[in-house]
Each structure stands twice: as C-alpha cells, then as structure tokens.
Amino acid sequence: MPERRKIIIDTDPGQDDAMAILLALASPELDLLGITAVAGNVPLPLTARNARVVCELAGRPDVPVFAGCDAPMQRKLLTAEHVHGKSGLDGADLPEPAMPLQPAHAVDFLIETLRREPAGSVTLVPIGPLTNIATTFTRAPDIVARVGQIVLMGGAYFEVGNITPTAEFNIYVDPEAADIVMKSGAQITMLPLDATHKVLTTRPRIEAFRRLGTPVGTAVTGWLDFFERFDVEKYGAEGGPLHDPCTIAWLLDPQLFSGRQVNVEIETEGRFTTGMTVADWWGVTDRTPNALFLRGVDADGFFALLTERIARL
Ligand code: BDR
Ligand code: CA
C-alpha cells in the first residue's frame, strides 16, 4: 500500500464534523495524527468533548484530542446550536467519553507536530472557524512552509451565505483568522457551500446508513435525521448539506470534485458583508490565485464512498 497521508483535523463537532472524523478513521489511506478542537458550532468544552465521543464511537480512543482556542482572534464567539442542537451533536444517544483530553494546547500540538514531521508531509483539514490554524501561523510563522496543504470547509461564492446573506458560518465566526490563512501562502483547497450544498442527506441516503445495522450506522442515522430537519425547514431542501466530510472525500477521491484555482480574499470590514469570501471565479482581477475553489461534486459518488467507508467501522 502507498504511504498513508498524515492529516490533522481541526474541528468544532457538529454532526457533519463527526461524519468527517468517522470517514477519516475508516480510511486506511489516511493517518489521523490528532484532532484539534476549536470553538465554533458550540463552545470549546463541548467541541473537545464531542471529538472524543466520536473517536470512542469509532473504537479509536487512541487518537489524541487537543483543545485549542476558545474564542475568535478579535471577536466574540458566535455559536450554532440552532443547527446542531444544545450539545452540538444532538440526535444520537452516546456515552460521555472516558478517554482523556490531551494536556497540551492544540496550537502547541500543531507547532510541535509540524516541526517534527518532514516538511510538506502533513495535511491540515480545518472544518470549523480558522482560529487555531491562524493562531499557529501567527505564533510560529516558520510552520507555514512545513504544511503540506490545507483542505478546508468554508466560504461560498455562488451560494453566498448561510449565517448572513453573504457569509458562510466558519469564515464569518473568525474572519480575521480566515484572512491570515488565505494570505499565508500555504497550498489551499476550499470546499465552500457551492460544493457542499450539492451533497444532501436525502431519505434514501440516510436509510442506507440505517440499514448498516451497526452502532456507528445507528448513531450516524440519528445525527443525520436531526441535522437535516434544519435545512429542510429553512431552505425546503431535500435534506441537510453534509459540508465537512467533503474535505476528507476530496483527499480520498479528488475526481469526485471539480473547481478552479482562483484568488479568494476575506472581507473583514464590510458593513453588510463581513466574512464574505470574495472569490475571483471569473478572473476579472490580477490578484494572484491562492486557493483551489471547488464547486462541482458527484453527490452520488460521494455518498457511495461515505456509506462504504462508514460500514467498515
Ligand atoms: C459549516 O458550519 C458548521 O455549522 C458546519 O459544521 C460546517 O463546518 C457550514 O457552514
Ligand atoms: Ca464544522
């Protein structure tokens, strides 16, 4: 087997974050070095708890989980219990985790790991606000050149916004952090709403998880049942968009996605547009491209991959 790709997931679980973690743990192509929790969908103590709940569900209490930043770099934390429920992971009845939280701060873990591992060998997968990653880059600028690539869920261009009319949640919560990451010079792949809103948890797709009949399949079904109701009520969509696992799916099978290498700037000062990802999709500026911005996705292929992998757990 070719060498496994080393990744670190930076996350604010979240049912869709949980699906991303499970997909990574179910995939032998990936070596999950650790999970760093950040404040986002719910406050940090809950995201750090939820990450461990997911590891234990997958039978992987050995994966180190670190707590990171508890608030955005310059703003007050905005959470999303209206989407994810009070715990952030409502919908499945799972035990409190017994595995410990690691004593180190997530930012120290990121710095130490990136300095220790060969340069270019570690992929960062941020699927929450970018506070931990930007704090790492600010505190240890030498790290940026050692990052293999960043594959993040965040932003929107054609789909515009889901938390304000013009902003996607992860970017809106900490736009200053997003700005630092987008300007860092690291190789970045973005999974914005333009792609993730095409990956919907329709009834037949949820039923396929139910039919697995495993503890993981049952938990996933509960989460997705809970998660979908928000988007069905809000947008009249066929199901909820499964944002975060798109990052892992892209690492496993990039052919499922299509996009363009474009310039993406973060609006940090807009009167109505704070947190907007200004993507130069049409190449109308001379700003240097800084991200692969994905827009197209084979949703059936994505769910076939996800279901087959979750069945392994
Ligand atoms: C993003 O916001 C969170 O609520 C989800 O987990 C996802 O990372 C979608 O806008
Ligand atoms: Ca998330």
Side-chain angles (χ1 to χ4, degrees):
M1 195 169 88
E3 215 183 311
R4 297 162 77 205
R5 188 198 287 259
K6 294 174 188 161
I7 67 168
I8 297 172
I9 298 181
D10 184 70
T11 176
D12 61 339
Q15 294 86 352
D16 61 325
D17 301 73
M19 295 297 290
I21 295 168
L22 291 179
L23 179 57
L25 289 175
S27 297
E29 301 92 331
L30 302 176
D31 179 8
L32 182 57
L33 299 181
I35 297 176
T36 50
V38 68
N41 286 323
V42 283
L44 184 67
L46 282 173
T47 61
R49 166 199 177 267
N50 293 347
R52 288 176 291 145
V53 168
V54 177
C55 290
E56 288 195 355
L57 173 66
R60 292 295 305 277
D62 56 298
V63 175
V65 175
F66 301 83
C69 300
D70 63 0
M73 297 181 96
Q74 297 181 26
R75 296 169 192 258
K76 266 187 63 163
L77 176 65
L78 173 85
T79 53
E81 286 87 353
H82 61 293
V83 183
H84 300 275
K86 211 162 179 279
S87 73
L89 210 48
D90 282 18
D93 196 12
L94 294 167
E96 282 303 310
M99 64 184 275
L101 192 58
Q102 296 296 312
H105 191 282
V107 169
D108 292 323
F109 167 72
L110 284 161
I111 294 173
E112 278 159 27
T113 306
L114 286 159
R115 284 193 181 143
R116 185 189 64 233
E117 296 291 337
S121 69
V122 177
T123 296
L124 301 181
V125 186
I127 52 177
L130 286 155
T131 320
N132 283 345
I133 308 298
T135 304
T136 300
F137 288 180
T138 306
R139 208 180 300 158
D142 61 295
I143 291 307
V144 178
R146 302 188 64 82
V147 173
Q149 55 174 314
I150 298 176
V151 183
L152 68 88
M153 190 282 137
Y157 181 67
F158 296 94
E159 288 284 305
V160 205
N162 63 355
I163 187 73
T164 75
T166 57
E168 181 280 325
F169 179 80
N170 288 343
I171 306 294
Y172 182 74
V173 170
D174 199 344
E176 285 74 23
D179 190 40
I180 289 170
V181 172
M182 293 311 296
K183 288 197 168 91
S184 68
Q187 189 187 323
I188 297 174
T189 297
M190 285 178 85
L191 273 302
L193 298 182
D194 305 290
T196 68
H197 273 183
K198 294 175 178 136
V199 175
L200 301 178
T201 57
T202 59
R203 263 298 108 196
R205 288 168 178 164
I206 295 182
E207 290 312 316
F209 288 113
R210 197 187 307 277
R211 277 199 303 276
L212 296 178
T214 60
V216 175
T218 304
V220 163
T221 308
W223 287 335
L224 298 187
D225 275 339
F226 182 89
F227 191 51
E228 76 158 347
R229 90 189 139 52
F230 174 77
D231 285 276
V232 171
E233 282 163 22
K234 183 170 172 191
Y235 305 108
E238 279 176 273
L242 209 41
H243 309 282
D244 292 339
C246 288
T247 53
I248 303 295
W250 185 79
L251 284 169
L252 295 172
D253 188 359
Q255 309 276 25
L256 292 172
F257 300 87
S258 61
R260 290 184 189 176
Q261 191 72 33
V262 301
N263 175 269
V264 180
E265 300 291 336
I266 307 295
E267 179 56 80
T268 55
E269 290 169 10
R271 190 152 64 102
F272 300 111
T273 55
T274 300
M276 188 174 190
T277 46
V278 182
D280 187 7
W281 182 263
W282 302 112
V284 293
T285 73
D286 55 9
R287 296 197 281 260
T288 309
N290 58 351
L292 174 60
F293 194 88
L294 299 174
R295 186 182 180 194
V297 51
D298 168 2
D300 285 335
F302 168 87
F303 274 96
L305 173 70
L306 185 64
T307 313
E308 185 270 316
R309 292 301 168 99
I310 296 296
R312 298 183 189 190
L313 292 173

mmCIF file of all heavy atoms in Angstrom, residues 150 152 178-190 260-266 278-280 287-293:
data_model
loop_
_atom_site.group_PDB
_atom_site.id
_atom_site.type_symbol
_atom_site.label_atom_id
_atom_site.label_comp_id
_atom_site.label_asym_id
_atom_site.label_seq_id
_atom_site.Cartn_x
_atom_site.Cartn_y
_atom_site.Cartn_z
ATOM 1 N N ILE A 150 -3.551 22.584 2.925
ATOM 2 C CA ILE A 150 -4.708 22.812 3.788
ATOM 3 C C ILE A 150 -5.942 22.491 2.958
ATOM 4 O O ILE A 150 -6.095 23.005 1.847
ATOM 5 C CB ILE A 150 -4.775 24.281 4.262
ATOM 6 C CG1 ILE A 150 -3.524 24.621 5.086
ATOM 7 C CG2 ILE A 150 -6.043 24.549 5.051
ATOM 8 C CD1 ILE A 150 -3.438 26.081 5.525
ATOM 9 N N LEU A 152 -9.825 22.810 3.489
ATOM 10 C CA LEU A 152 -10.753 23.370 4.476
ATOM 11 C C LEU A 152 -12.186 23.436 3.964
ATOM 12 O O LEU A 152 -12.424 23.546 2.764
ATOM 13 C CB LEU A 152 -10.283 24.756 4.918
ATOM 14 C CG LEU A 152 -10.331 25.913 3.916
ATOM 15 C CD1 LEU A 152 -11.688 26.625 3.939
ATOM 16 C CD2 LEU A 152 -9.233 26.928 4.266
ATOM 17 N N ALA A 178 -9.460 33.687 9.129
ATOM 18 C CA ALA A 178 -9.555 33.221 7.738
ATOM 19 C C ALA A 178 -8.647 34.058 6.841
ATOM 20 O O ALA A 178 -7.981 33.519 5.940
ATOM 21 C CB ALA A 178 -11.012 33.299 7.266
ATOM 22 N N ASP A 179 -8.609 35.339 7.102
ATOM 23 C CA ASP A 179 -7.765 36.241 6.302
ATOM 24 C C ASP A 179 -6.286 35.846 6.432
ATOM 25 O O ASP A 179 -5.547 35.804 5.439
ATOM 26 C CB ASP A 179 -8.010 37.675 6.791
ATOM 27 C CG ASP A 179 -7.378 38.712 5.875
ATOM 28 O OD1 ASP A 179 -7.432 38.524 4.648
ATOM 29 O OD2 ASP A 179 -6.828 39.702 6.396
ATOM 30 N N ILE A 180 -5.867 35.560 7.645
ATOM 31 C CA ILE A 180 -4.464 35.154 7.867
ATOM 32 C C ILE A 180 -4.165 33.861 7.091
ATOM 33 O O ILE A 180 -3.144 33.743 6.420
ATOM 34 C CB ILE A 180 -4.190 34.972 9.383
ATOM 35 C CG1 ILE A 180 -4.183 36.347 10.064
ATOM 36 C CG2 ILE A 180 -2.882 34.221 9.631
ATOM 37 C CD1 ILE A 180 -4.163 36.296 11.587
ATOM 38 N N VAL A 181 -5.064 32.912 7.176
ATOM 39 C CA VAL A 181 -4.831 31.621 6.497
ATOM 40 C C VAL A 181 -4.814 31.808 4.979
ATOM 41 O O VAL A 181 -3.922 31.297 4.296
ATOM 42 C CB VAL A 181 -5.904 30.590 6.927
ATOM 43 C CG1 VAL A 181 -5.807 29.318 6.086
ATOM 44 C CG2 VAL A 181 -5.742 30.260 8.412
ATOM 45 N N MET A 182 -5.758 32.575 4.455
ATOM 46 C CA MET A 182 -5.827 32.739 2.993
ATOM 47 C C MET A 182 -4.610 33.506 2.457
ATOM 48 O O MET A 182 -4.212 33.309 1.312
ATOM 49 C CB MET A 182 -7.116 33.459 2.584
ATOM 50 C CG MET A 182 -8.396 32.677 2.833
ATOM 51 S SD MET A 182 -8.397 30.975 2.242
ATOM 52 C CE MET A 182 -8.235 31.215 0.480
ATOM 53 N N LYS A 183 -4.048 34.366 3.295
ATOM 54 C CA LYS A 183 -2.880 35.141 2.853
ATOM 55 C C LYS A 183 -1.560 34.436 3.181
ATOM 56 O O LYS A 183 -0.486 34.972 2.894
ATOM 57 C CB LYS A 183 -2.878 36.511 3.548
ATOM 58 C CG LYS A 183 -3.944 37.472 3.034
ATOM 59 C CD LYS A 183 -3.612 38.894 3.464
ATOM 60 C CE LYS A 183 -4.475 39.905 2.745
ATOM 61 N NZ LYS A 183 -5.717 40.210 3.475
ATOM 62 N N SER A 184 -1.625 33.254 3.791
ATOM 63 C CA SER A 184 -0.406 32.633 4.344
ATOM 64 C C SER A 184 0.566 32.144 3.290
ATOM 65 O O SER A 184 1.752 31.982 3.559
ATOM 66 C CB SER A 184 -0.800 31.444 5.235
ATOM 67 O OG SER A 184 -1.358 30.408 4.435
ATOM 68 N N GLY A 185 0.064 31.859 2.098
ATOM 69 C CA GLY A 185 0.936 31.277 1.071
ATOM 70 C C GLY A 185 0.908 29.761 1.078
ATOM 71 O O GLY A 185 1.522 29.123 0.217
ATOM 72 N N ALA A 186 0.207 29.157 2.030
ATOM 73 C CA ALA A 186 0.070 27.687 2.042
ATOM 74 C C ALA A 186 -0.781 27.249 0.846
ATOM 75 O O ALA A 186 -1.587 28.032 0.333
ATOM 76 C CB ALA A 186 -0.586 27.236 3.344
ATOM 77 N N GLN A 187 -0.592 25.992 0.442
ATOM 78 C CA GLN A 187 -1.420 25.452 -0.644
ATOM 79 C C GLN A 187 -2.805 25.118 -0.071
ATOM 80 O O GLN A 187 -2.904 24.324 0.873
ATOM 81 C CB GLN A 187 -0.748 24.200 -1.192
ATOM 82 C CG GLN A 187 -1.392 23.673 -2.452
ATOM 83 C CD GLN A 187 -0.801 22.332 -2.851
ATOM 84 O OE1 GLN A 187 0.400 22.109 -2.684
ATOM 85 N NE2 GLN A 187 -1.634 21.449 -3.344
ATOM 86 N N ILE A 188 -3.842 25.746 -0.625
ATOM 87 C CA ILE A 188 -5.181 25.634 -0.021
ATOM 88 C C ILE A 188 -6.196 25.074 -1.010
ATOM 89 O O ILE A 188 -6.257 25.503 -2.166
ATOM 90 C CB ILE A 188 -5.665 27.022 0.471
ATOM 91 C CG1 ILE A 188 -4.735 27.542 1.572
ATOM 92 C CG2 ILE A 188 -7.111 26.953 0.957
ATOM 93 C CD1 ILE A 188 -5.037 28.967 2.019
ATOM 94 N N THR A 189 -6.996 24.110 -0.538
ATOM 95 C CA THR A 189 -8.173 23.659 -1.275
ATOM 96 C C THR A 189 -9.388 24.008 -0.422
ATOM 97 O O THR A 189 -9.422 23.690 0.771
ATOM 98 C CB THR A 189 -8.124 22.134 -1.523
ATOM 99 O OG1 THR A 189 -6.987 21.851 -2.332
ATOM 100 C CG2 THR A 189 -9.383 21.653 -2.224
ATOM 101 N N MET A 190 -10.364 24.675 -1.034
ATOM 102 C CA MET A 190 -11.567 25.098 -0.289
ATOM 103 C C MET A 190 -12.779 24.308 -0.746
ATOM 104 O O MET A 190 -13.023 24.172 -1.939
ATOM 105 C CB MET A 190 -11.878 26.572 -0.572
ATOM 106 C CG MET A 190 -10.974 27.528 0.123
ATOM 107 S SD MET A 190 -11.396 29.228 -0.322
ATOM 108 C CE MET A 190 -12.716 29.576 0.843
ATOM 109 N N ARG A 260 -11.786 25.527 -9.650
ATOM 110 C CA ARG A 260 -10.788 26.369 -10.311
ATOM 111 C C ARG A 260 -9.808 26.920 -9.286
ATOM 112 O O ARG A 260 -10.196 27.186 -8.142
ATOM 113 C CB ARG A 260 -11.460 27.589 -10.955
ATOM 114 C CG ARG A 260 -12.307 27.273 -12.136
ATOM 115 C CD ARG A 260 -12.825 28.563 -12.737
ATOM 116 N NE ARG A 260 -13.816 28.244 -13.756
ATOM 117 C CZ ARG A 260 -14.519 29.139 -14.416
ATOM 118 N NH1 ARG A 260 -14.372 30.435 -14.152
ATOM 119 N NH2 ARG A 260 -15.394 28.774 -15.325
ATOM 120 N N GLN A 261 -8.606 27.142 -9.753
ATOM 121 C CA GLN A 261 -7.589 27.807 -8.942
ATOM 122 C C GLN A 261 -7.858 29.319 -9.062
ATOM 123 O O GLN A 261 -7.729 29.879 -10.155
ATOM 124 C CB GLN A 261 -6.210 27.432 -9.505
ATOM 125 C CG GLN A 261 -5.040 27.803 -8.651
ATOM 126 C CD GLN A 261 -4.897 26.939 -7.398
ATOM 127 O OE1 GLN A 261 -5.232 25.758 -7.415
ATOM 128 N NE2 GLN A 261 -4.430 27.549 -6.319
ATOM 129 N N VAL A 262 -8.284 29.951 -7.981
ATOM 130 C CA VAL A 262 -8.660 31.367 -8.058
ATOM 131 C C VAL A 262 -8.111 32.148 -6.863
ATOM 132 O O VAL A 262 -7.636 31.561 -5.890
ATOM 133 C CB VAL A 262 -10.207 31.556 -8.084
ATOM 134 C CG1 VAL A 262 -10.828 30.841 -9.274
ATOM 135 C CG2 VAL A 262 -10.850 31.101 -6.786
ATOM 136 N N ASN A 263 -8.220 33.453 -6.955
ATOM 137 C CA ASN A 263 -7.907 34.292 -5.798
ATOM 138 C C ASN A 263 -9.147 34.388 -4.904
ATOM 139 O O ASN A 263 -10.259 34.610 -5.386
ATOM 140 C CB ASN A 263 -7.491 35.701 -6.237
ATOM 141 C CG ASN A 263 -7.295 36.611 -5.036
ATOM 142 O OD1 ASN A 263 -8.222 37.285 -4.599
ATOM 143 N ND2 ASN A 263 -6.098 36.616 -4.474
ATOM 144 N N VAL A 264 -8.935 34.212 -3.604
ATOM 145 C CA VAL A 264 -10.023 34.370 -2.634
ATOM 146 C C VAL A 264 -9.559 35.340 -1.557
ATOM 147 O O VAL A 264 -8.536 35.100 -0.907
ATOM 148 C CB VAL A 264 -10.426 33.030 -1.987
ATOM 149 C CG1 VAL A 264 -11.566 33.231 -0.990
ATOM 150 C CG2 VAL A 264 -10.821 31.998 -3.038
ATOM 151 N N GLU A 265 -10.274 36.435 -1.403
ATOM 152 C CA GLU A 265 -9.995 37.394 -0.333
ATOM 153 C C GLU A 265 -11.132 37.324 0.688
ATOM 154 O O GLU A 265 -12.281 37.048 0.337
ATOM 155 C CB GLU A 265 -9.918 38.824 -0.899
ATOM 156 C CG GLU A 265 -8.836 39.021 -1.947
ATOM 157 C CD GLU A 265 -7.414 38.942 -1.386
ATOM 158 O OE1 GLU A 265 -7.231 39.185 -0.178
ATOM 159 O OE2 GLU A 265 -6.507 38.617 -2.167
ATOM 160 N N ILE A 266 -10.790 37.614 1.946
ATOM 161 C CA ILE A 266 -11.789 37.585 3.013
ATOM 162 C C ILE A 266 -12.181 39.011 3.363
ATOM 163 O O ILE A 266 -11.313 39.848 3.670
ATOM 164 C CB ILE A 266 -11.236 36.898 4.279
ATOM 165 C CG1 ILE A 266 -10.659 35.513 3.949
ATOM 166 C CG2 ILE A 266 -12.304 36.831 5.372
ATOM 167 C CD1 ILE A 266 -11.633 34.489 3.460
ATOM 168 N N VAL A 278 -14.550 36.553 -1.111
ATOM 169 C CA VAL A 278 -14.620 37.216 -2.417
ATOM 170 C C VAL A 278 -13.739 36.421 -3.388
ATOM 171 O O VAL A 278 -12.525 36.590 -3.443
ATOM 172 C CB VAL A 278 -14.179 38.685 -2.307
ATOM 173 C CG1 VAL A 278 -14.291 39.381 -3.654
ATOM 174 C CG2 VAL A 278 -15.012 39.407 -1.249
ATOM 175 N N ALA A 279 -14.380 35.509 -4.107
ATOM 176 C CA ALA A 279 -13.654 34.586 -4.992
ATOM 177 C C ALA A 279 -13.677 35.134 -6.414
ATOM 178 O O ALA A 279 -14.755 35.401 -6.964
ATOM 179 C CB ALA A 279 -14.307 33.205 -4.949
ATOM 180 N N ASP A 280 -12.503 35.273 -6.979
ATOM 181 C CA ASP A 280 -12.426 35.821 -8.347
ATOM 182 C C ASP A 280 -12.604 34.683 -9.356
ATOM 183 O O ASP A 280 -11.703 34.358 -10.126
ATOM 184 C CB ASP A 280 -11.076 36.527 -8.541
ATOM 185 C CG ASP A 280 -11.031 37.266 -9.878
ATOM 186 O OD1 ASP A 280 -12.071 37.335 -10.565
ATOM 187 O OD2 ASP A 280 -9.934 37.748 -10.234
ATOM 188 N N ARG A 287 -5.313 39.722 -9.139
ATOM 189 C CA ARG A 287 -4.859 39.177 -7.853
ATOM 190 C C ARG A 287 -4.413 37.721 -8.041
ATOM 191 O O ARG A 287 -5.047 36.960 -8.772
ATOM 192 C CB ARG A 287 -5.988 39.275 -6.820
ATOM 193 C CG ARG A 287 -6.377 40.719 -6.502
ATOM 194 C CD ARG A 287 -7.183 40.812 -5.215
ATOM 195 N NE ARG A 287 -8.578 40.442 -5.391
ATOM 196 C CZ ARG A 287 -9.581 41.324 -5.520
ATOM 197 N NH1 ARG A 287 -9.331 42.639 -5.500
ATOM 198 N NH2 ARG A 287 -10.819 40.914 -5.651
ATOM 199 N N THR A 288 -3.352 37.379 -7.344
ATOM 200 C CA THR A 288 -2.752 36.052 -7.521
ATOM 201 C C THR A 288 -3.658 34.959 -6.951
ATOM 202 O O THR A 288 -4.109 35.070 -5.802
ATOM 203 C CB THR A 288 -1.394 36.011 -6.773
ATOM 204 O OG1 THR A 288 -0.646 37.144 -7.195
ATOM 205 C CG2 THR A 288 -0.625 34.744 -7.092
ATOM 206 N N PRO A 289 -3.922 33.889 -7.715
ATOM 207 C CA PRO A 289 -4.716 32.777 -7.179
ATOM 208 C C PRO A 289 -4.072 32.207 -5.915
ATOM 209 O O PRO A 289 -2.843 32.050 -5.852
ATOM 210 C CB PRO A 289 -4.695 31.750 -8.320
ATOM 211 C CG PRO A 289 -4.502 32.569 -9.556
ATOM 212 C CD PRO A 289 -3.602 33.710 -9.137
ATOM 213 N N ASN A 290 -4.883 31.943 -4.913
ATOM 214 C CA ASN A 290 -4.352 31.399 -3.656
ATOM 215 C C ASN A 290 -5.117 30.177 -3.167
ATOM 216 O O ASN A 290 -4.842 29.668 -2.078
ATOM 217 C CB ASN A 290 -4.339 32.475 -2.556
ATOM 218 C CG ASN A 290 -5.729 33.050 -2.290
ATOM 219 O OD1 ASN A 290 -6.675 32.774 -3.035
ATOM 220 N ND2 ASN A 290 -5.848 33.856 -1.249
ATOM 221 N N ALA A 291 -6.092 29.685 -3.960
ATOM 222 C CA ALA A 291 -6.845 28.516 -3.494
ATOM 223 C C ALA A 291 -7.466 27.775 -4.666
ATOM 224 O O ALA A 291 -7.844 28.389 -5.672
ATOM 225 C CB ALA A 291 -7.959 28.948 -2.540
ATOM 226 N N LEU A 292 -7.570 26.462 -4.496
ATOM 227 C CA LEU A 292 -8.397 25.667 -5.414
ATOM 228 C C LEU A 292 -9.810 25.711 -4.844
ATOM 229 O O LEU A 292 -10.058 25.192 -3.747
ATOM 230 C CB LEU A 292 -7.866 24.230 -5.495
ATOM 231 C CG LEU A 292 -8.719 23.263 -6.314
ATOM 232 C CD1 LEU A 292 -8.852 23.723 -7.767
ATOM 233 C CD2 LEU A 292 -8.123 21.851 -6.263
ATOM 234 N N PHE A 293 -10.704 26.370 -5.557
ATOM 235 C CA PHE A 293 -12.064 26.628 -5.074
ATOM 236 C C PHE A 293 -12.995 25.624 -5.767
ATOM 237 O O PHE A 293 -13.211 25.701 -6.972
ATOM 238 C CB PHE A 293 -12.426 28.066 -5.453
ATOM 239 C CG PHE A 293 -13.634 28.631 -4.772
ATOM 240 C CD1 PHE A 293 -13.541 29.267 -3.541
ATOM 241 C CD2 PHE A 293 -14.876 28.557 -5.384
ATOM 242 C CE1 PHE A 293 -14.659 29.821 -2.922
ATOM 243 C CE2 PHE A 293 -15.996 29.107 -4.774
ATOM 244 C CZ PHE A 293 -15.888 29.741 -3.543
#
